[in-house]
């Protein structure tokens, strides 16, 4: 079964491809989302197209499939309406699939399930990456707030950190928030004694 | 008082104004509703989120709701349209090159004159036009006009699909020679210096149905009270939107990053019916460029759904059937509109269907509540559409 993958993120396309290959589905075509989409799909002649829900070419692709130039048989979105749950899960994960009419549900279901799991894995990866970036940014804010406290109060670093932590505990806020407030105050009133 | 949430999908277009304003200005809250707006970039995604319950309702091109109910290209899902979000508001924009070839003047051209010049150019080189979805009013309005001036769509010219936020880019890149798209994307093409507005779609059909509020029929049944509240909130938002005194404030809200993320000035021009047609030119006033609220513009006339269905059979190569025509007409739900606005003073038409394109000037219409006067609603070729005999209408078309 030939599967075409269209994703604006090449990382995610790679993650999906790897997953499908591990499951023994190795007839894969990764379509360049920046290139002429319809021509590439036509050349690939896939039975299933997995496309990112956010892809701006979805309307174009639907038009293209409706004209049935790509394949001898019409393409439909998902095999079966009775599989609304699986479809809903796919949409939830951010993947949309177009499937050649007549492809049996048993054959397509594992492909969709796998794509959904891979999409979710990618979004978890993205979240972790964002969290790491956030943590780095927070660390920098706290360091700058400590520097301000050390200078203005003439204290050392552990004492400055203790001040931040103490204030955070008393006001039930995060240390990064206290640090942020100090930076804001400094920006506004830095010249005042 | 706010006790119920409705999630509404939309595309960044000026005619998404009513749900946005209903939430921003408290018209929804006054009904005890909280709206959550979900923005997408393609109509296919707006539809899929609606069908699989990510959203409860959607801002949608009217023909897509009908195509979904008819099961075109995918399994059929019954749909309900209790409210029309607006009439017209789209334009046809030519690339600067094509505008020069056709000899567009400084004002909006006459559809027949522009059409004749376009036909000459189409005989010289292969032209390509972009519309926003296969099942869009843009596709059908453009095709109706082209066919009416003797240019055969798909034979003499190509028509391709480009999502609204990318239409100006397609024009700039030379992928298409013209686009038919909603605002602000025509104005953005003009402001970028890559296009000139040739016609407003209101010149093709003076009172053409455009975006609708679409729901799955199952949701409309299960959450009927919430839907009626939503219709009332949208109707109040429409009254506010149509008042010129509010135009600037409304444009500023729509321009925000979470909604259209676009130029306030371009949006303001669209909602005040003043279009800058030529890069660097002065805006030109075209009355009723986009049309909300007056003349019961938000009423879902079944005859409007009928016209769209007629065009669908004409261009999709699928045979007309009475059963399909019935399904298409019944997507539009005047019963829900009436139930929502009964006792409110809003004019309620007595009929659910009318001859489209039959009025030459303001005409009183039968109403069960309020006084209703309908304005001129003609098609550019003078034809009228009788929803009771679609096959006869189709036979008379070029």
């Amino acid at each position: 079964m030939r599967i075409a993958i269209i994703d604006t993120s090449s990382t995610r396309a790679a993650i999906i491809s790897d997953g499908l290959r591990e499951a023994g589905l190795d007839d894969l075509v990764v379509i360049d989302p920046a290139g002429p989409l319809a021509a590439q799909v036509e050349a690939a002649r896939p039975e299933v197209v997995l496309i990112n829900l956010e892809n701006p070419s979805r309307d174009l692709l639907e038009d293209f499939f409706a004209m049935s130039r790509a394949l001898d048989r019409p393409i439909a979105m998902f095999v079966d309406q009775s599989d609304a749950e699986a479809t809903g899960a796919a949409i939830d994960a951010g993947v949309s699939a177009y499937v050649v009419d007549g492809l049996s549900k048993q054959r397509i279901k594992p492909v969709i399930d796998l794509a959904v799991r891979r999409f979710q894995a990618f979004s978890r990866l993205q979240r972790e990456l964002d969290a790491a970036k956030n943590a780095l940014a927070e660390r920098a804010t706290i360091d700058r707030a400590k520097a301000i406290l050390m200078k203005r109060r003439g204290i050392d670093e552990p004492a400055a950190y203790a001040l931040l932590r103490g204030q955070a505990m008393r006001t039930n806020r995060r240390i990064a928030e206290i640090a942020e407030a100090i930076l804001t105050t400094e920006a506004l009133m830095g010249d005042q004694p | 008082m706010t006790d119920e949430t409705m999630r509404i999908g939309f595309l960044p277009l000026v005619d998404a104004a009513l749900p946005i304003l209903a939430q921003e200005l408290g018209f929804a809250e006054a009904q005890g509703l909280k709206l959550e707006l979900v923005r997408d970039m393609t109509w296919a995604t707006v539809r899929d989120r609606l069908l699989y319950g990510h959203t409860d309702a959607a801002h949608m091109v009217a023909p897509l709701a009908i195509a979904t109910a008819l099961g075109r290209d995918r399994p059929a899902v019954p749909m309900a349209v209790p409210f029309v979000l607006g009439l017209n508001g789209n334009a046809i924009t030519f690339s600067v090159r094509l505008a020069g070839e056709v000899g567009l003047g400084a004002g909006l051209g006459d559809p027949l004159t522009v059409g004749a010049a376009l036909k000459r150019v189409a005989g010289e080189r292969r032209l390509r036009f972009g519309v926003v979805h296969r099942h869009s009013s843009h596709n059908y309005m453009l095709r109706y006009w082209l066919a009416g001036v003797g240019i055969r769509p798909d034979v003499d010219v190509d028509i391709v699909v480009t999502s609204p936020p990318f239409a100006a880019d397609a024009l700039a890149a030379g992928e298409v020679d013209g686009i038919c798209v909603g605002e602000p994307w025509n104005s953005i093409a003009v402001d970028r210096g890559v296009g000139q507005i040739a016609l407003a779609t209101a010149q093709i059909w003076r009172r053409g149905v455009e975006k609708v509020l679409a729901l799955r029929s199952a949701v409309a049944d299960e959450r009927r009270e919430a839907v009626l509240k939503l219709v009332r909130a949208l109707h109040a938002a429409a009254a506010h939107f149509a008042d010129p005194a509010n135009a600037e404030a409304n444009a500023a809200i729509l321009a925000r990053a979470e909604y259209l993320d676009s130029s306030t000035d371009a949006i303001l021009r669209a909602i005040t019916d003043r279009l800058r047609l030529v890069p660097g030119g002065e805006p030109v006033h075209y009355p009723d460029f986009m049309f909300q609220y007056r003349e019961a513009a938000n009423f879902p006339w079944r005859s409007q759904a009928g016209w769209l269905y007629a065009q669908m059979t004409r261009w999709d190569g699928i045979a007309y059937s009475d059963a399909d025509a019935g399904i298409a007409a019944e997507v539009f739900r005047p019963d829900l509109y009436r139930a929502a606005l009964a006792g409110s003073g809003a004019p309620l038409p007595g009929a659910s269907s009318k001859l489209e394109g039959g009025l030459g000037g303001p005409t009183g219409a039968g109403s069960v509540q309020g006084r209703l006067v309908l304005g001129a609603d003609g098609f550019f070729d003078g034809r009228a559409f009788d929803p009771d005999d679609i096959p006869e209408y189709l036979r008379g078309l070029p």
Side-chain angles (χ1 to χ4, degrees):
Chain A
M1 172 159 48
R2 177 165 298 174
I3 304 167
I5 298 158
I6 308 172
D7 204 311
T8 34
S9 154
S10 55
T11 314
R12 187 163 49 200
I15 289 177
I16 295 169
S17 307
D18 290 349
L20 292 170
R21 274 199 199 90
E22 280 165 27
L25 295 156
D26 49 13
D27 194 0
L28 306 177
V29 185
V30 177
I31 307 264
D32 172 9
L37 213 60
Q40 292 181 79
V41 173
E42 187 161 25
R45 303 184 64 79
E47 290 170 273
V48 179
V49 176
L50 293 174
I51 183 168
N52 178 0
L53 204 64
E54 309 297 338
N55 194 299
S57 299
R58 287 196 61 211
D59 288 339
L60 169 68
L61 208 61
E62 292 208 348
D63 182 49
F64 173 62
F65 288 148
M67 316 264 271
S68 274
R69 280 180 307 211
L71 303 134
D72 301 331
R73 288 172 293 168
I75 269 207
M77 190 183 155
F78 290 95
V79 247
D80 196 328
Q81 201 182 352
S82 66
D83 217 3
E85 206 169 296
T87 309
I91 302 278
D92 256 329
V95 63
S96 200
Y98 294 86
V99 179
V100 171
D101 225 9
L103 200 62
S104 77
K105 196 162 132 189
Q106 292 86 333
R107 288 185 69 206
I108 181 62
K109 182 96 167 57
V111 177
I112 305 292
D113 285 348
L114 200 75
V116 167
R117 282 202 300 277
R118 287 272 147 173
F119 254 73
Q120 284 161 345
F122 177 82
S123 66
R124 195 162 52 238
L125 202 73
Q126 196 69 45
R127 272 200 306 278
E128 280 162 10
L129 208 64
D130 289 346
K133 271 191 200 146
N134 251 340
L136 271 177
E138 283 185 357
R139 178 68 50 83
T141 306
I142 292 168
D143 283 347
R144 285 171 60 202
K146 274 193 298 194
I148 291 167
L149 287 176
M150 285 158 67
K151 189 171 127 216
R152 292 179 74 92
R153 296 196 151 219
I155 51 179
D156 63 3
E157 191 175 339
Y161 190 75
L163 262 180
L164 281 174
R165 197 182 50 203
Q167 183 67 15
M169 284 166 66
R170 272 192 302 281
T171 57
N172 198 23
R173 284 190 292 171
R174 292 166 54 238
I175 292 180
E177 284 177 53
I178 305 292
E180 189 70 45
I182 289 173
L183 294 190
T184 308
T185 310
E186 179 74 2
L188 291 174
M189 314 209 296
D191 294 339
Q192 298 298 314
Chain B
M1 160 118 200
T2 300
D3 51 11
E4 197 168 358
T5 300
M6 288 209 103
R7 286 166 62 84
I8 304 184
F10 76 103
L11 238 52
L13 288 161
V14 173
D15 57 19
L18 302 189
I20 292 171
L21 297 180
Q23 174 58 21
E24 284 290 330
L25 301 176
F27 298 114
E29 196 182 351
Q31 296 292 334
L33 273 186
K34 180 180 185 314
L35 306 186
E36 279 179 20
L37 292 148
V38 181
R39 183 173 71 169
D40 273 306
M41 284 298 174
T42 68
W43 289 117
T45 307
V46 169
R47 177 206 56 209
D48 289 347
R49 286 200 203 282
L50 183 66
L51 294 188
Y52 295 101
H54 273 202
T55 52
D56 305 303
H59 162 241
M60 188 176 273
V61 271
L64 184 55
I66 294 169
T68 303
L70 287 171
R72 292 283 155 90
D73 310 331
R74 51 181 301 117
V77 177
M79 300 291 285
V81 165
F83 192 87
V84 171
L85 292 173
L87 303 179
N88 288 315
N90 303 323
I92 298 172
T93 299
F94 289 173
S95 69
V96 172
R97 177 185 174 193
L98 181 59
E101 288 169 318
V102 171
L104 287 185
L108 279 173
D110 164 67
L112 292 170
T113 315
V114 175
L118 186 67
K119 187 173 180 190
R120 179 179 47 74
V121 179
E124 292 161 7
R125 68 186 182 95
R126 186 81 184 174
L127 296 176
R128 227 150 118 75
F129 291 93
V131 296
V132 300
H133 192 274
R134 174 179 185 75
H135 298 301
S136 65
S137 22
H138 314 66
N139 188 23
Y140 299 138
M141 286 263 209
L142 178 70
R143 284 168 181 265
Y144 186 87
W145 171 57
L146 290 175
V149 297
I151 301 170
R152 293 166 298 174
D154 306 321
V155 180
D156 301 326
V157 294
D158 291 321
I159 295 175
V160 298
V161 169
T162 165
S163 181
F166 303 94
D169 291 339
L171 205 60
E175 287 167 22
V176 291
D177 301 288
I179 50 176
C180 182
V181 65
E183 283 293 282
W185 302 102
N186 297 286
S187 291
I188 285 171
V190 173
D191 288 350
R192 282 173 60 184
V194 300
Q196 175 170 349
I197 295 177
L199 295 176
T201 51
Q203 293 177 278
I204 297 171
W205 180 12
R206 191 73 192 166
R207 291 285 183 266
V209 56
E210 187 39 48
K211 302 300 182 307
V212 296
L213 178 80
L215 302 98
R216 283 188 291 134
S217 290
V219 173
D221 291 341
E222 286 159 20
R223 301 187 62 189
R224 183 182 159 93
E225 285 310 312
V227 172
L228 299 187
K229 288 177 184 176
L230 179 58
V231 167
R232 285 193 284 271
L234 292 172
H235 189 259
H240 178 90
F241 182 73
D243 183 345
N246 303 322
E248 285 193 28
N250 290 340
I253 292 171
L254 294 181
R256 282 172 13 197
E258 66 268 38
Y259 298 127
L260 271 57
D261 194 13
S262 176
S263 135
T264 309
D265 187 53
I267 294 169
L268 185 61
R269 275 180 270 148
I271 67 184
T272 53
D273 293 339
R274 291 164 69 253
L275 297 175
R276 176 175 291 139
L277 307 174
V278 191
E282 276 302 305
V284 170
H285 184 232
Y286 180 75
D288 303 347
F289 165 71
M290 67 183 299
F291 204 80
Q292 271 92 358
Y293 187 63
R294 276 193 297 124
E295 298 177 17
N298 306 109
F299 184 80
W301 292 98
R302 291 199 150 148
S303 41
Q304 293 175 337
W307 186 82
L308 294 171
Y309 170 69
Q311 304 304 313
M312 209 174 274
T313 64
R314 185 181 180 194
W315 302 114
D316 273 10
I318 294 168
Y320 169 86
S321 95
D322 283 338
D324 281 357
I327 293 171
E330 280 161 19
V331 168
F332 277 37
R333 295 287 299 273
D335 57 317
L336 290 174
Y337 183 94
R338 287 199 186 92
L341 296 171
S344 71
L348 291 182
S352 296
S353 195
K354 62 183 162 80
L355 188 73
E356 297 288 341
L359 301 180
T363 310
S367 56
V368 291
Q369 170 186 303
R371 184 165 170 274
L372 179 62
V373 176
L374 298 177
D377 68 348
F379 291 90
F380 84 99
D381 58 3
R383 263 175 236 276
F385 170 73
D386 178 358
D388 292 334
D389 197 354
I390 296 179
E392 178 60 27
Y393 170 79
L394 287 170
R395 271 192 293 277
L397 290 172

